[in-house]
Amino acid sequence: MSVGSRIRAAREKVGMTQSSLARQIGITPAVVSAWEKGSYSPRPESLEKVAAALCVSAASLRSGISDEVAEQPQDTEKPTVPAILARAKADIAAVLGVPPNQVKLDMNLTA
């Protein structure tokens, strides 16, 4: 299964359209379609945004390894902010009984 196929499967699992995914991560629906068709692959920073929007890990989209396996502690990988936010969205959605795409998180950092 390709990265594009995994993006499509994850998107459909959360009930999101190509347009809504594109809008959420700031790209056009044509780009999402091209990824899913395998015309080209998303850049790493775009894949992180996709993963956060779909409440999955970027590793699972890249490799097909399930999130449960991907979430096991890795000595070499620090968690990224998008991955942390994606997990928080998934957890909040589960508690509220709504799809993850209906949870929106805002974050402000202060010095």
Side-chain angles (χ1 to χ4, degrees), residues 39-56:
S39 300
Y40 58 94
S41 294
R43 293 181 179 137
E45 62 273 10
S46 295
L47 192 64
E48 287 287 339
K49 290 178 184 179
V50 170
L54 299 177
C55 298
V56 298

Side-chain angles (χ1 to χ4, degrees), residues 30-86:
V31 172
V32 175
S33 177
W35 290 342
E36 291 183 359
K37 289 178 184 174
S39 300
Y40 58 94
S41 294
R43 293 181 179 137
E45 62 273 10
S46 295
L47 192 64
E48 287 287 339
K49 290 178 184 179
V50 170
L54 299 177
C55 298
V56 298
S57 68
S60 70
L61 293 176
R62 272 191 302 275
S63 66
I65 297 172
S66 72
D67 282 336
E68 290 79 23
V69 173
E71 287 174 13
Q72 291 178 353
Q74 304 283 326
D75 292 342
T76 59
E77 285 188 42
K78 289 185 179 180
T80 63
V81 171
I84 293 167
L85 292 174

